[in-house]
Amino acid sequence: EVVLTQSPGTLSLSPGERATLSCRASQSVSSGYLAWYQQKPGQAPRLLIYGASSRATGIPDRFSGSGSGTDFTLTISRLEPEDFAVYYCHLRITFGQGTRLEIK
Amino acid sequence: QLQLQQSGPGLVKPSQTLSLTCAISGDSVSTNSAAWNWIRQSPSRGLEWLGRTYYRSKWYNDYAVSVRSRITINPDTSKNQFSLQLNSVTPEDTAVYYCAREEIVATSAIDYWGQGTLVTVSS
């Protein structure tokens, strides 16, 4: 079973800054199944990116995904106040442990 | 607009069975383009996929190894819903449980989630 490791565990940034979140797979995987989710307290996760780089419906273009093989990245180009949340990568039946994006 | 509405008890006694239902509106449990999943979340385990049911000319189920001996996911086509049963629960099964749609054709991702149900296992 593939293990997804996210880094960093916590990222402290200010609004307007750029955020780069990493997801590393324990073995090479198909990017077609790599997704990213955002979760805010008390809410279910929300799909941001699917197929490693395609934005889901209604997701602002400041969110972008990239990567292949074992290394994947979620980038938020300019942080808005509502972007501070926990982010998870996901592949089929496996989730990463999450990266908490907090306001600096 | 697709909606998933969860129902079921929030408190289950140890050794008993956890039962949750997810009612689907805006899609069909029998669709060939989706799978219907149960996922749970706890501070100790994070997001944990439990299993899914889907229809491809016949019904199929996939279950996580960690719960395979205790879990059943069933579709109910008459009510357009699907259910989760987890037997012999222990306090380690305490978590927020989500039902979710995995869209197969366009995204191959989980694109809709239920509202979540906090289930506490305690006597």
Side-chain angles (χ1 to χ4, degrees):
Chain A
E1 183 177 318
V2 175
V3 175
L4 299 177
T5 302
Q6 293 186 239
S7 61
T10 301
L11 185 57
S12 299
L13 293 170
S14 300
E17 291 192 294
R18 181 185 186 90
T20 303
L21 286 67
S22 173
C23 176
R24 176 162 290 177
S26 58
Q27 62 194 70
S28 185
V29 299
S30 169
S31 60
Y33 297 103
L34 196 286
W36 289 92
Y37 299 87
Q38 177 194 68
Q39 188 178 33
K40 296 181 179 179
Q43 297 183 15
R46 176 176 72 142
L47 178 64
L48 299 175
I49 300 288
Y50 65 91
S53 60
S54 299
R55 272 187 302 276
T57 303
I59 302 303
D61 61 7
R62 64 180 181 274
F63 291 91
S64 63
S66 63
S68 63
T70 60
D71 291 308
F72 299 89
T73 300
L74 174 69
T75 302
I76 311 172
S77 58
R78 286 179 55 85
L79 286 166
E80 298 287 343
E82 62 267 28
D83 298 337
F84 293 92
V86 181
Y87 292 83
Y88 295 95
C89 58
H90 170 236
L91 183 84
R92 290 195 179 253
I93 67 170
T94 303
F95 291 90
Q97 82 279 18
T99 291
R100 180 177 303 277
L101 180 56
E102 63 177 26
I103 298 176
K104 187 173 182 179
Chain B
Q1 177 74 353
L2 190 145
Q3 288 189 326
L4 302 175
Q5 183 65 42
Q6 298 178 217
S7 60
L11 181 63
V12 182
K13 289 182 166 47
S15 80
Q16 294 193 343
T17 297
L18 181 161
S19 296
L20 296 173
T21 299
C22 183
I24 304 164
S25 57
D27 200 351
S28 169
V29 71
S30 304
T31 182
N32 283 307
S33 61
W36 304 96
N37 293 255
W38 286 99
I39 295 161
R40 68 182 178 185
Q41 185 174 31
S42 64
S44 59
R45 294 172 176 258
L47 285 164
E48 181 184 13
W49 178 82
L50 298 176
R52 64 180 185 173
T53 189
Y54 55 98
Y55 185 77
R56 304 287 184 268
S57 303
K58 70 174 185 177
W59 288 102
Y60 294 88
N61 289 300
D62 298 321
Y63 297 131
V65 170
S66 60
V67 295
R68 186 165 292 162
S69 63
R70 302 192 289 132
I71 190 173
T72 304
I73 296 176
N74 281 325
D76 183 341
T77 57
S78 66
K79 296 182 179 179
N80 200 32
Q81 63 187 29
F82 62 108
S83 63
L84 167 70
Q85 286 194 308
L86 188 65
N87 302 326
S88 305
V89 297
T90 71
E92 286 200 349
D93 294 310
T94 294
V96 176
Y97 286 74
Y98 293 101
C99 62
R101 185 184 84 160
E102 176 188 2
E103 197 282 333
I104 301 299
V105 175
T107 68
S108 298
I110 294 174
D111 59 353
Y112 285 93
W113 299 69
Q115 78 274 23
T117 301
L118 173 60
V119 178
T120 301
V121 179
S122 175
S123 54

